Amino acid sequence: MLDFSGGPTGFGPTREERIRSGGEPGLKLSERVYNQLLSESESAVAVVNEDERLVFLQGPIDEYLQLGRGELSAELPHLVLMCREGLRAKIRTLLRRARREDEPITIDARVKRDGGYARCRLTARRLKGRPADEQGDHHVLMTFEPIRLGPSQSAFEESPPSDEQIVTQELEVELCTTREQLNSTIEEL
């Protein structure tokens, strides 16, 4: 998890360490409850700006996103480019839909990690608290949750999908993306 509030950088304990050790001094009850819920949640959270660049990360985000190798740029990282295998097309679609709709959009997906595929649930919604202004303040809140199945089923699949399943999924995503682009073009006209 990326946490710029402290920790190994030498600027003090991380936010999670402060919360586990009894909290941050002077916090209101509602802030303490909010902080504890965040620290105990299995969900990973990412917030992106209107350019789909990451501006906030929380939780076990490395299970769903990964940094590219090589030299880092001064720009904020692009969410879609950081997605692990299996999530890129779905997240791109979710971001588009979340910007158009008022309700949260949720889909199930599979993400490749540790040599297999794990099931997860992705949810995208416009960030509340401040309406979109003339400059285009369209932040989107994304949550990534593992899907826990019963004892007879595993949320982690050792074998990748068959070639036929992959082609079918790619065609479905391409069709959905083309349909969305066509609808956007029609709306602009």
Side-chain angles (χ1 to χ4, degrees):
M1 176 181 74
L2 299 175
D3 184 351
F4 300 107
S5 63
T9 59
F11 296 109
T14 65
R15 180 181 178 116
E16 286 78 14
E17 290 169 341
R18 288 191 304 271
I19 292 167
R20 276 189 230 113
S21 68
E24 299 176 42
L27 289 181
K28 296 179 194 175
L29 177 61
S30 61
E31 292 170 327
R32 289 177 36 219
V33 169
Y34 170 77
N35 287 340
Q36 184 166 343
L37 287 173
L38 273 180
S39 70
E40 293 176 0
S41 173
E42 287 186 348
S43 298
V45 176
V47 176
V48 295
N49 63 17
E50 59 275 1
D51 298 323
E52 298 179 1
R53 304 239 175 228
L54 291 162
V55 295
F56 179 84
L57 298 172
Q58 174 71 36
I61 198 72
D62 58 325
E63 294 179 8
Y64 308 97
L65 306 178
Q66 63 186 47
L67 286 173
R69 301 201 186 278
E71 189 174 332
L72 296 175
S73 87
E75 293 182 357
L76 295 169
H78 195 279
L79 172 66
V80 176
L81 298 178
M82 292 182 59
C83 292
R84 288 186 178 270
E85 187 176 325
L87 297 181
R88 188 169 286 174
K90 292 194 181 238
I91 286 179
R92 188 176 285 135
T93 301
L94 270 177
L95 288 172
R96 281 193 204 113
R97 289 184 59 197
R99 285 194 165 86
R100 288 194 318 248
E101 300 178 23
D102 289 329
E103 298 299 316
I105 311 299
T106 301
I107 60 171
D108 290 348
R110 295 172 348 139
V111 58
K112 184 175 184 181
R113 65 172 184 258
D114 301 326
Y117 288 84
R119 296 172 193 238
C120 62
R121 181 160 290 130
L122 310 173
T123 304
R125 66 187 72 67
R126 279 192 256 167
L127 188 60
K128 294 181 181 179
R130 183 172 124 185
D133 60 16
E134 297 78 39
Q135 287 80 30
D137 181 22
H138 299 285
H139 287 82
V140 174
L141 174 81
M142 295 275 313
T143 55
F144 304 80
E145 301 174 69
I147 294 179
R148 303 284 182 225
L149 302 175
S152 63
Q153 298 173 310
S154 172
F156 195 77
E157 301 169 6
E158 289 299 326
S159 62
S162 69
D163 289 341
E164 185 178 303
Q165 290 173 325
I166 291 173
V167 169
T168 302
Q169 289 174 351
E170 288 174 354
L171 288 172
E172 287 173 353
V173 168
E174 186 175 339
L175 177 62
C176 184
T177 302
T178 304
R179 183 181 295 129
E180 288 178 4
Q181 289 172 345
L182 180 60
N183 287 336
S184 294
T185 304
I186 291 170
E187 288 174 10
E188 289 174 8
L189 298 175

